[in-house]
Amino acid sequence: MTIKVGSIELKSRVYVPPMAGVTDLVFRRIVREVDPSCLLSTEMVSSKALMYKTENRIMDLGANEHPIGIQIFGHEPDIMAQAAQMAQSKGADFIDINMGCPVPKITKGKDGCALMREPELAREIIATVKSAVNIPVTVKFRLGWDDESRNAVQFGEMAEGAGASLVTVHGRTRQQLYSGKADWSFIGLVKKALSIPVFGNGDVFEPEDAIRLLEITNCDGVAVARGSLGNPWLIPRITKFIDTGVLDQAPDDIERLVVAFKHCLGLIAYKGLRVGTNESRRHLTHYTKGIPGSAVFRNRLTQITSAEDALNILAELASTVEGPGGKERFLFAVEQDYLEYCKKPGEGNGDSEDRIQTPVNIGSVAPIAVP
Ligand SMILES: Cc1cc2nc3c(=O)[nH]c(=O)nc-3n(C[C@H](O)[C@H](O)[C@H](O)COP(=O)(O)O)c2cc1C
């Protein structure tokens, strides 16, 4: 079954949807390395903010990321249309409109999920954006504002009528935020009512969850957000399980630590030392979750201020997991990336004074030769 989003033919039924503070260029590059075809999206970007500052790094796209969408939020149709045009000129394959964000800061300004209470305005936004660009427009929303007003079916019909080419439905209401369980049956009602592809979303943490969601909802695809945190391999494992019924093993703990460290290096290189290490802390705790004996290391990982900190702690954890051989395997696997990083730590995002001043000596933690 081929899923078509406008003129784009998807090769995968799996989507890593927008996550603010997570699905940046670095995270997506890691996902793309393990899964060549899943659908990707940027974090959400404020349409209004783009009117004041047209350059926004959230819209940076890498060459190998396609198919990828840029997600915009806002409630003023003309401003949303201009933002969509900017996103299109950045090379997005589709524009995703956020009509599901539950965060009060967003909804109090009529943005995000607040638009589920204003379907006429939502229609105008979708139609105006659609007519402003020549790439597909998709919409992401929830089941409704609260249990008393679950209008996802009508809202989906409205989105389709206004020109959306795909919708992603998170099986919770705005009031639920992330509590309770996603109601996959209700997502199935949206799927049944629409002709455009529907991606079901909410609480997929294992490949088996994805299969159950697809069976219950009959959706065209599945969107996997939190499950991919510290676990990018979940995406290709789901893809393969859906396509072939074969369930691949998750990578072993040392492999996880290797990718964790590369993620950290990528963030520092891309965002600068201060922001990069800050943001890495959260990712590193996700990568190490479930590794036996990792709790005490996780605590230390939340305090890293340099790539060397991360390297030391992860190497020690590798040793705890598999003995000296584990540490050696970890260091051997990260050596090349680390040395390259030390030679050229990257541009960062403006806090260049925070860049690594001196290359860290990998030899202080590594039983390996450093040229
Ligand atoms: C940290 C975080 C940031 C998120 N940011 C966005 C966002 O920018 N736009 C959006 O539409 N949804 C956002 N979401 C919602 C997710 O895309 C997804 O709908 C939700 O997490 C449910 O899916 P899951 O159970 O697979 O995590 C975010 C979720 C998380 C956890």
Side-chain angles (χ1 to χ4, degrees), residues 44-316:
M44 62 180 176
V45 59
S46 159
S47 56
K48 204 155 194 178
L50 287 174
M51 300 304 114
Y52 300 108
K53 189 165 174 269
T54 54
E55 270 314 307
N56 189 315
R57 292 187 100 203
I58 288 180
M59 298 202 293
D60 285 356
L61 303 184
N64 300 325
E65 297 202 79
H66 303 279
I68 181 162
I70 291 180
Q71 190 189 59
I72 57 175
F73 74 91
H75 66 274
E76 289 146 292
D78 291 339
I79 290 178
M80 288 289 276
Q82 287 179 60
Q85 286 170 342
M86 290 179 193
Q88 175 174 260
S89 70
K90 285 281 189 179
D93 297 303
F94 63 98
I95 305 296
D96 188 52
I97 304 179
N98 182 328
M99 297 192 173
C101 183
V103 178
K105 199 171 83 181
I106 302 291
T107 56
K108 75 173 167 16
K110 271 199 191 174
D111 301 338
C113 200
L115 286 163
M116 291 198 78
R117 300 170 105 182
E118 308 244 9
E120 271 315 310
L121 177 57
R123 178 200 307 277
E124 197 187 334
I125 292 169
I126 298 167
T128 311
V129 168
K130 168 87 182 160
S131 61
V133 294
N134 50 30
I135 52 178
V137 174
T138 65
V139 184
K140 186 162 175 289
F141 53 92
R142 289 186 169 228
L143 298 187
W145 183 259
D146 56 23
D147 266 342
E148 286 67 53
S149 57
R150 286 185 170 209
N151 60 344
V153 174
Q154 301 86 323
F155 200 80
E157 288 170 336
M158 174 283 293
E160 178 169 339
S165 297
L166 173 147
V167 296
T168 305
V169 186
H170 177 188
R172 286 186 175 84
T173 62
R174 186 268 159 191
Q175 193 181 39
Q176 280 180 287
L177 301 173
Y178 288 87
S179 68
K181 276 181 75 174
D183 183 345
W184 292 345
S185 303
F186 207 93
I187 299 175
L189 300 179
V190 182
K191 164 62 194 167
K192 202 164 171 205
L194 304 193
S195 316
I196 53 173
V198 176
F199 272 50
N201 172 232
D203 298 350
V204 170
F205 295 100
E206 295 293 338
E208 293 91 337
D209 298 335
I211 297 290
R212 278 194 300 116
L213 180 146
L214 292 175
E215 280 171 3
I216 290 171
T217 63
N218 199 28
C219 273
D220 303 273
V222 56
V224 182
R226 288 168 299 167
S228 66
L229 293 173
N231 190 12
W233 308 275
L234 177 63
I235 305 304
R237 289 176 70 228
I238 292 176
T239 305
K240 188 161 173 188
F241 198 38
I242 292 173
D243 291 350
T244 68
V246 175
L247 185 53
D248 276 347
Q249 287 293 307
D252 72 17
D253 293 341
I254 304 295
E255 282 176 74
R256 297 176 77 92
L257 299 180
V258 168
V259 174
F261 184 60
K262 290 183 180 178
H263 195 156
C264 172
L265 285 186
L267 283 173
I268 298 173
Y270 183 58
K271 302 194 174 186
L273 184 61
R274 187 178 52 80
V275 177
T277 47
N278 264 339
E279 293 193 4
S280 291
R281 295 171 186 171
R282 195 162 18 114
H283 289 287
L284 291 169
T285 59
H286 283 293
Y287 280 104
T288 52
K289 225 173 256 168
I291 297 182
S294 59
V296 51
F297 292 91
R298 231 179 343 273
N299 195 27
R300 287 165 61 195
L301 287 168
T302 61
Q303 294 163 45
I304 60 158
T305 55
S306 68
E308 188 181 29
D309 285 349
L311 183 69
N312 280 317
I313 299 166
L314 294 174
E316 222 183 293

